[in-house]
Amino acid sequence: MTSSSPNPEAQTAPPKLRLTEEHFINRELSWLAFNSRVLDEAARPDLPVLERVKFLAITASNLDEFFMVRIGGLQLLREQGRRVRDNAGLTPTQQWEQVHQQAAVFVARQYDILQQQLVPLMNEKGIRRLLNSELTPAQRTLLREYFDEHIFPVLSPVVVDDTGARAAIPALNIVLLCTVSNDDEQTEKRHVLLPLPANLPRHVLVPDPDGGQYLYVNLEDVVALFIGEFFPAEKVSAPARFRVSRNTDITVDDESAFDLASEMEEVLEKRLQSQAIRIEIEAGASREHTRIIREVCGARTAQIYDIPGELDLRAFFQIAGISGFDELKVDPWDSHASTAITPGESIFDAIKRGDILLHHPYESFDPVLALVEEAAADPNVIAIKQILYRTAKNSRIISALIRAAQAGKHVTVLVELKARFDEARNLERANDLINAGAQIIYGVAGLKTHAKVCLVMRRESGHMTRYMHFGTGNYNEATSKLYTDISVLTCRADFGADASAFFNTVTGRSRFVHFTKLSMAPYGLRERLVSLIHSETARARQGEAAEIMLKMNALEDRQMIEALYEASQAGVKIRLNVRGICCLRPGIKGISENISVVSIIDRYLEHARIFWFRQGGKPAVFIASADFMNRNLSKRVELLTPVEDKEARKRLLRILEIHFADTARGRVLKSDGTWHLPQVTAAKKVRSQEQFAREMAKRARQANESPDVLVPHTPK
């Protein structure tokens, strides 16, 4: 790309920024602040109760992953005696201590919201968890039958003294610990574990004699009620309930791995018995049981959390989704078909008319699915190449790729086996693709492949035309309904040449060459972004209007933060929409007073990456798979894609502007690291996600009312 920045020789170099630890926010504490913003949604009295319950479950799921990944890594550094400080000046031990202090406060708030607000509201509306003491004789009889048929044959008690006791405690599953003894006082008592399998329903429904209520008993309560069945003619104590989080920060040495798939299987096995990071014990456990839990879990350094209520709040996802209580949920926003595509036409014909930009989930993910599914069935398609990072459980994308391979097309799929927590699924689906005849690449040595790109090679009139999808989100039709993302469908020849070169680089060990349009991490993407920021900085120093707007999930990379600070100091107006981690401090006099940061937490998970640079009135606009994080820019294969279609660029600019105007769900970051909602009247509040949903519905309605052509239905 030819630089349009002013001549650097005509500028006077400013003094280098002197940044200290006060100019940065710790990454882990910033993440906890993000999860607190999510929990704020669970505390909002104006939301329907089941929507609030959903946000509570999200915070629990987020916290589990945070402990297993981030705190697991911190604990290893701490045990190794590492004292290296992060950008905010904290050692691993200091981070570990501060994280646990804040996490304890966070957990207390979770349960306060649950017990003081959500449970009373659900009870009032007929959704009730019954305790064993509340069961009627008829309900106990039904639960006994359920226990005998579905639970008793599945559970396997494990004596604590056995050498395999620790291995029998799966991460994140609820485990019961009881003490068993004989009536004979001479017989030694024994301690027994009862791990509850994840494939058993957490909630056991019981009939409501009056009708109209959703009554359930937690699985652990049912097991506790009939625990004596496992130990006939013996005494069984009231069981303690606990749950273990283990360190998942175990990596495969893929540089030297002979068989990466086998290596990944070994990693998954190691995680089952890895070091305990957090132990949650439900209130009411005896001191003896608490001691045994610590010992059997190997909790030498793990943090113990006394939980004032039921364990594993992720189970409330199921409650949030129960049927028959629509009045307790938010009114759904429909996902609409793109107005750029005529109903019934081939996706290839639609793309040939011009680039198609999709804003998910307001616009359906179906055109992306159609590209792969039509390609699988089209005899003119010769090859399909695709990156898969996280996919849906029953992925239509993978099914289409399998059909394409079975039809004799050349199908190349890079399946990222190192996509954390999706490794097992990716291994399984990779085998399905191999069996169908597809060429499979298990990622790139030393790097995770996180780029979102699909390339279809189609023969048309004796020539090869390349059709592409570039996106900010995964090829996952399930999360496409829950995450906001951007897709671009194009058949531009120069983009096609770059896409082919990209796949040659990641699948064929071809020497990296600089692309005409695309930028790729870790080779050049960071440099291109820094160059664009510096270009705006140079313009500001020469008195020109200079502006940057960036939307991303996380901002942590020091070099990028320093470049933004330098631009702000020069007078560049910088607006940042950062969903989660933000290690930059806005509003520091002389450093970042020209930077504003907003974080939007709403119905959908904000996931799109959009980068806009004024560039002297000829804006450069991009979508990307990468955030401004060191791991994305230096340790992953990512793509930065320029958007060149005029209308698409205007749409992206409008998306950014509406996000920055959000005063209903857009929290503003202060220089002290705290986040605040703007104080505006209800009449003046702007809610970006609602506005996008409303505008898309209007566009779809107008398209249906005034069709340009009449489309007959024809047999498929």
Side-chain angles (χ1 to χ4, degrees):
M1 184 180 80
T2 303
S3 174
S4 57
S5 62
N7 181 4
E9 295 179 358
Q11 303 165 39
T12 302
K16 185 170 177 61
L17 273 176
R18 294 177 61 87
L19 298 177
T20 64
E21 57 196 38
E22 287 81 13
H23 296 119
F24 297 91
I25 298 171
N26 173 261
R27 168 184 170 153
E28 318 307 344
L29 299 180
S30 180
W31 184 91
L32 284 170
F34 156 68
N35 212 29
S36 291
R37 298 195 296 279
V38 180
L39 188 58
D40 287 344
E41 297 297 297
R44 286 181 46 207
D46 58 318
L47 278 180
V49 64
L50 292 186
E51 181 75 356
R52 297 171 65 182
V53 164
K54 180 195 77 174
F55 278 110
L56 179 72
I58 290 171
T59 66
S61 178
N62 288 347
L63 196 63
D64 284 347
E65 184 170 341
F66 177 71
F67 266 95
M68 293 192 297
V69 179
R70 298 301 306 175
I71 305 309
L74 270 182
Q75 185 156 304
L76 287 176
L77 293 174
R78 184 170 173 262
E79 291 172 359
Q80 293 166 3
R82 300 281 294 276
R83 295 192 55 79
V84 61
R85 296 179 182 272
D86 75 329
N87 290 330
L90 300 178
T91 65
T93 295
Q94 289 172 326
Q95 294 180 63
W96 190 89
E97 291 172 348
Q98 291 191 32
V99 162
H100 279 299
Q101 289 171 4
Q102 293 201 17
V105 173
F106 179 86
V107 170
R109 185 175 174 227
Q110 279 183 311
Y111 281 89
D112 182 69
I113 292 170
L114 172 64
Q115 294 164 348
Q116 302 303 318
Q117 301 179 40
L118 303 183
V119 167
L121 281 171
M122 287 190 290
N123 288 346
E124 180 185 319
K125 300 297 183 181
I127 302 171
R128 291 183 58 215
R129 172 197 174 192
L130 297 179
L131 301 178
N132 290 343
S133 59
E134 300 174 298
L135 296 171
T136 66
Q139 290 169 336
R140 290 173 70 97
T141 299
L142 285 170
L143 286 175
R144 176 61 181 267
E145 293 172 356
Y146 182 91
F147 174 84
D148 289 342
E149 182 173 355
H150 299 287
I151 300 175
F152 183 79
V154 176
L155 266 58
S156 299
V158 179
V159 177
V160 168
D161 294 339
D162 290 355
T163 56
R166 181 177 175 184
I169 302 174
L172 301 185
N173 287 22
I174 294 173
V175 182
L176 273 58
L177 169 68
C178 62
T179 300
V180 182
S181 61
N182 200 291
D183 286 335
D184 183 359
E185 294 183 1
Q186 303 300 316
T187 305
E188 287 189 6
K189 62 184 179 183
R190 66 189 188 279
H191 305 292
V192 181
L193 299 169
L194 277 167
L196 306 187
N199 59 357
L200 285 179
R202 175 68 186 281
H203 302 141
V204 181
L205 298 183
V206 294
D208 172 22
D210 300 322
Q213 293 195 95
Y214 185 92
L215 306 179
Y216 68 93
V217 179
N218 278 357
L219 175 64
E220 62 269 28
D221 290 334
V222 179
V223 174
L225 187 61
F226 302 111
I227 198 167
E229 298 302 309
F230 292 100
F231 314 102
E234 293 186 283
K235 291 182 179 179
V236 185
S237 69
R241 303 152 184 212
F242 69 98
R243 184 170 176 261
V244 177
S245 302
R246 298 195 183 280
N247 180 18
T248 63
D249 195 27
I250 300 171
T251 57
V252 60
D253 181 13
D254 60 344
E255 295 281 2
S256 59
F258 175 72
D259 181 353
L260 185 59
S262 297
E263 291 283 330
M264 285 308 308
E265 289 174 348
E266 289 183 16
V267 165
L268 294 175
E269 289 177 6
K270 287 179 182 177
R271 284 185 186 167
L272 297 176
Q273 301 182 45
S274 64
Q275 186 179 29
I277 299 299
R278 173 185 61 165
I279 301 172
E280 301 165 278
I281 304 177
E282 187 172 328
S286 68
R287 292 180 64 180
E288 182 184 26
H289 280 165
T290 299
R291 176 185 59 78
I292 294 167
I293 290 168
R294 292 186 66 123
E295 290 176 357
V296 76
C297 294
R300 182 171 54 86
T301 56
Q303 192 75 6
I304 305 295
Y305 283 79
D306 295 316
I307 303 300
E310 61 184 287
L311 298 172
D312 195 359
L313 301 183
R314 297 177 304 169
F316 280 97
F317 278 122
Q318 301 167 32
I319 299 298
I322 59 176
S323 59
F325 291 85
D326 290 348
E327 72 280 4
L328 306 183
K329 304 175 185 179
V330 293
D331 293 332
W333 293 336
D334 293 330
S335 184
H336 297 279
S338 170
T339 56
I341 303 170
T342 303
E345 78 172 325
S346 164
I347 189 65
F348 299 116
D349 291 339
I351 296 173
K352 267 189 286 192
R353 279 202 307 274
D355 293 354
I356 299 172
L357 184 138
L358 304 171
H359 189 192
H360 310 299
Y362 315 103
E363 285 177 291
S364 170
F365 194 66
D366 285 350
V368 182
L369 299 173
L371 177 64
V372 185
E373 291 177 335
E374 283 193 38
D378 190 332
N380 293 319
V381 169
I382 308 302
I384 306 172
K385 300 183 180 184
Q386 186 152 11
I387 306 288
L388 295 181
Y389 189 75
R390 299 188 194 277
T391 58
K393 188 173 182 180
N394 297 304
S395 170
R396 285 173 57 184
I397 292 278
I398 291 180
S399 297
L401 292 170
I402 289 172
R403 293 196 300 273
Q406 291 171 337
K409 302 181 192 303
H410 185 71
V411 176
T412 302
V413 183
L414 191 152
V415 178
E416 182 48 77
L417 291 189
K418 301 184 289 294
R420 199 184 302 268
F421 304 119
D422 274 9
E423 299 98 336
R425 179 187 297 170
N426 286 359
L427 273 168
E428 180 183 348
R429 298 318 307 267
N431 287 332
D432 294 340
L433 286 161
I434 290 171
N435 293 335
Q439 177 183 351
I440 297 298
I441 307 295
Y442 288 136
V444 177
L447 303 169
K448 280 188 181 180
T449 305
H450 191 248
K452 322 297 182 187
V453 56
C454 175
L455 171 64
V456 174
M457 312 285 288
R458 189 171 189 255
R459 187 178 289 119
E460 298 176 356
S461 303
H463 299 282
M464 197 68 73
T465 301
R466 297 179 177 94
Y467 293 87
M468 290 142 285
H469 168 264
F470 299 99
T472 65
N474 296 309
Y475 290 101
N476 187 323
E477 55 267 33
T479 56
S480 73
K481 298 180 176 67
L482 306 172
Y483 295 5
T484 71
D485 274 304
I486 300 294
S487 287
V488 171
L489 297 162
T490 184
C491 61
R492 292 175 183 260
D494 42 8
F495 282 69
D498 278 1
S500 289
F502 168 80
F503 276 103
N504 291 340
T505 301
V506 296
T507 66
R509 295 191 180 183
S510 299
R511 183 177 296 276
F512 172 73
V513 293
H514 288 281
F515 305 135
T516 303
K517 296 293 182 180
L518 305 177
S519 294
M520 171 185 173
Y523 310 114
L525 192 156
R526 175 196 292 276
E527 291 75 13
R528 188 170 189 183
L529 289 171
V530 169
S531 174
L532 287 159
I533 296 171
H534 285 172
S535 175
E536 295 297 325
T537 304
R539 292 178 186 280
R541 287 182 181 141
Q542 289 195 340
E544 293 185 37
E547 185 178 2
I548 297 171
M549 289 185 282
L550 306 172
K551 176 176 173 58
M552 65 190 77
N553 301 325
L555 171 55
E556 167 265 349
D557 184 83
R558 182 175 182 118
Q559 184 181 358
M560 305 308 294
I561 293 174
E562 288 179 346
L564 291 170
Y565 278 159
E566 184 181 354
S568 169
Q569 196 178 45
V572 180
K573 180 183 178 183
I574 301 171
R575 288 184 283 173
L576 307 175
N577 177 199
V578 184
R579 182 194 78 211
I581 296 166
C582 183
C583 298
L584 173 150
R585 290 188 187 272
I588 302 173
K589 188 173 182 180
I591 299 288
S592 58
E593 65 262 52
N594 290 316
I595 302 177
S596 61
V597 184
V598 63
S599 172
I600 294 168
I601 308 293
D602 202 347
R603 183 179 304 188
Y604 299 135
L605 180 77
E606 291 292 334
H607 194 254
R609 291 95 168 181
I610 308 170
F611 308 146
W612 185 97
F613 304 86
R614 176 173 288 279
Q615 291 292 282
K618 297 181 179 179
V621 188
F622 304 85
I623 64 168
S625 60
D627 293 308
F628 280 21
M629 301 189 75
N630 181 259
R631 72 180 188 189
N632 294 102
L633 303 176
S634 300
K635 301 175 184 178
R636 290 187 174 186
V637 177
E638 306 272 12
L639 277 179
L640 177 74
T641 306
V643 177
E644 299 193 342
D645 179 81
K646 183 179 179 181
E647 290 303 313
R649 290 151 68 96
K650 285 171 62 177
R651 279 193 68 194
L652 291 175
L653 173 60
R654 177 164 173 75
I655 288 169
L656 289 171
E657 293 283 10
I658 291 175
H659 275 311
F660 290 124
D662 194 318
T663 51
R665 301 291 190 273
R667 293 164 178 83
V668 177
L669 177 61
K670 303 297 184 182
S671 59
D672 63 359
T674 59
W675 296 83
H676 300 273
L677 273 171
Q679 297 299 311
V680 297
T681 62
K684 293 184 177 180
K685 281 187 177 180
V686 175
R687 185 181 176 195
S688 56
Q689 290 193 2
E690 184 179 48
Q691 187 162 336
F692 294 135
R694 198 167 53 239
E695 289 179 358
M696 199 58 61
K698 181 179 179 181
R699 287 176 59 183
R701 188 166 58 249
Q702 290 173 339
N704 290 333
E705 290 172 353
S706 306
D708 294 329
V709 294
L710 300 177
V711 182
H713 287 287
T714 57
K716 295 292 184 185

